[in-house]
Amino acid sequence: MICSMTAFSRREIKGSWGRTIWELRSVNQRYLEIYIKLPEQFRDLESIIRKNISLSLTRGKVECNLHFDINPSMQNVFILNKKLAKQLIESARWIKIQSDEGEIDPMNILRWPGVITATKQDLDTISAELLSGLNDTLNDFISVRETEGNVLKILIEQRLENVSNEIKNVRQQIPTVLKWQRKKLLSKLEEVKIQLDSNRLEQEMLLLMQRIDVAEELDRLDAHVKETYQILAKKEAVGRRLDFMMQEFNRETNTLASKSINTNITVSAIELKVLIEQMREQIQNIE
């Protein structure tokens, strides 16, 4: 399954203890990098969260954020550090006086590390609900990556079809090019009044044909197209393989362009370069 490295998902979880929001977002990255931001009381979950994400993803810069709003009425679940809360409120009031703007938000005070704690038993219960919510968020996240990946796959396949058309066009041009080149060589010989026997002329034509022969490059380009289709059909992360294939496409196209002695073939070589670059840009988003 082709998956994009760019995605976002968000899930809200409500309980008697309050409300939480999981957010997952990712962008392009050569390897997998995971950044996790959690409230202080749930720091112990970081290793589990990191493991769950690593089992599901292989590439991308992933940010995982947990927003936690506590229900202040749940005194039996949470322990309020009143001394610390009072100090924070006094500090906030002082800052408000100095700046003469803004309001003191009680929820911001409650979110401050150490203000709210919970007994281990209650915290384990809440953590289990949070991890279940993370799994749902991660499933949504993967679904978004797959949906966007399918769009990228279609775009790449469209360009592969155009690449095949350009290869076919170049093949059709070859007999005309050889005929034109032979005529051009004979014309040059007549201008300089040089007479060559038929064997020598054929030898010269053979050398010229070898210099401008692009059959091998075209065969390799055809093989690269087939291989790319096969890679796109795989059920695993294929971004790196596709990136390598674009390098191979570029190598053969550069050789094709350097051997070109015909305007039409040159135009096709340029079009191939454009198509390859368009595919490469899309592949940068693929896991």
Side-chain angles (χ1 to χ4, degrees):
M1 175 67 71
I2 300 298
C3 293
S4 169
M5 283 191 284
T6 304
F8 174 80
S9 66
R10 184 178 187 273
R11 277 238 179 183
E12 181 178 332
I13 305 169
K14 292 183 178 180
S16 58
W17 35 262
R19 181 179 74 106
T20 63
I21 296 175
W22 281 109
E23 287 185 351
L24 284 171
R25 56 168 53 84
S26 68
V27 294
N28 303 349
Q29 180 66 284
R30 188 173 181 183
Y31 303 104
L32 179 63
E33 290 187 13
I34 303 172
Y35 298 89
I36 301 172
K37 185 177 180 181
L38 301 172
E40 189 65 29
Q41 57 267 46
F42 298 110
R43 287 292 182 188
D44 291 344
L45 298 179
E46 182 170 344
S47 61
I48 300 175
I49 294 169
R50 189 176 299 276
K51 181 180 178 181
N52 289 348
I53 294 175
S54 299
L55 290 174
S56 302
L57 310 176
T58 59
R59 294 179 71 193
K61 180 180 178 181
V62 182
E63 294 182 7
C64 176
N65 296 321
L66 174 62
H67 305 278
F68 188 63
D69 291 329
I70 303 166
N71 183 351
S73 66
M74 297 299 293
Q75 297 297 329
N76 60 324
V77 176
F78 297 99
I79 302 171
L80 175 64
N81 187 334
K82 296 181 179 180
K83 183 178 179 181
L84 178 57
K86 184 177 180 181
Q87 291 175 348
L88 290 171
I89 292 171
E90 290 175 352
S91 298
R93 283 174 177 168
W94 182 85
I95 293 173
K96 182 178 182 298
I97 292 171
Q98 300 302 314
S99 61
D100 195 28
E101 61 181 31
E103 296 293 335
I104 300 174
D105 187 349
M107 294 309 297
N108 288 335
I109 301 296
L110 292 175
R111 291 190 191 102
W112 192 268
V115 172
I116 292 291
T117 57
T119 63
K120 188 177 189 309
Q121 181 178 0
D122 291 328
L123 196 59
D124 288 345
T125 301
I126 298 170
S127 296
E129 292 185 47
L130 293 182
L131 290 175
S132 176
L134 173 63
N135 289 335
D136 293 336
T137 309
L138 189 56
N139 288 335
D140 293 343
F141 186 72
I142 293 171
S143 178
V144 171
R145 285 166 67 109
E146 289 177 349
T147 299
E148 186 172 339
N150 189 55
V151 174
L152 295 175
K153 179 182 178 183
I154 292 172
L155 293 174
I156 293 171
E157 288 177 340
Q158 289 173 347
R159 281 151 182 80
L160 285 174
E161 184 178 353
N162 290 335
V163 167
S164 294
N165 291 335
E166 290 300 333
I167 294 172
K168 192 178 300 182
N169 182 52
V170 173
R171 287 190 190 279
Q172 293 173 348
Q173 295 289 328
I174 296 301
T176 303
V177 171
L178 293 177
K179 184 177 180 180
W180 170 81
Q181 190 62 30
R182 181 185 182 91
K183 183 177 179 181
K184 182 179 178 182
L185 178 60
L186 290 173
S187 177
K188 288 290 184 181
L189 292 175
E190 289 180 2
E191 288 180 8
V192 295
K193 306 298 183 182
I194 296 178
Q195 297 293 329
L196 296 179
D197 60 44
S198 58
N199 289 336
R200 179 62 186 278
L201 179 61
E202 291 305 320
Q203 289 176 1
E204 292 294 330
M205 283 300 303
L206 181 60
L207 291 173
L208 180 62
M209 288 172 62
Q210 289 175 345
R211 287 198 298 271
I212 66 174
D213 182 24
V214 294
E216 185 175 354
E217 286 74 18
L218 296 178
D219 289 342
R220 286 177 180 170
L221 285 171
D222 272 332
H224 294 341
V225 170
K226 293 177 182 177
E227 177 65 18
T228 304
Y229 274 119
Q230 291 177 2
I231 293 174
L232 289 172
K234 291 182 179 295
K235 304 297 183 181
E236 58 193 50
V238 295
R240 291 192 181 94
R241 291 188 182 186
L242 290 172
D243 191 52
F244 172 76
M245 289 306 304
M246 294 307 104
Q247 297 177 34
E248 296 300 304
F249 269 110
N250 265 320
R251 183 178 291 109
E252 301 305 331
T253 303
N254 288 336
T255 305
L256 175 65
S258 67
K259 288 184 176 182
S260 175
I261 58 172
N262 176 275
T263 302
N264 291 333
I265 294 180
T266 300
V267 170
S268 289
I270 293 172
E271 181 62 23
L272 284 171
K273 284 178 173 289
V274 172
L275 292 169
I276 294 166
E277 180 60 23
Q278 289 174 347
M279 286 192 291
R280 191 192 66 80
E281 290 177 356
Q282 300 296 342
I283 288 168
Q284 298 309 304
N285 297 320
I286 291 178
E287 184 179 13

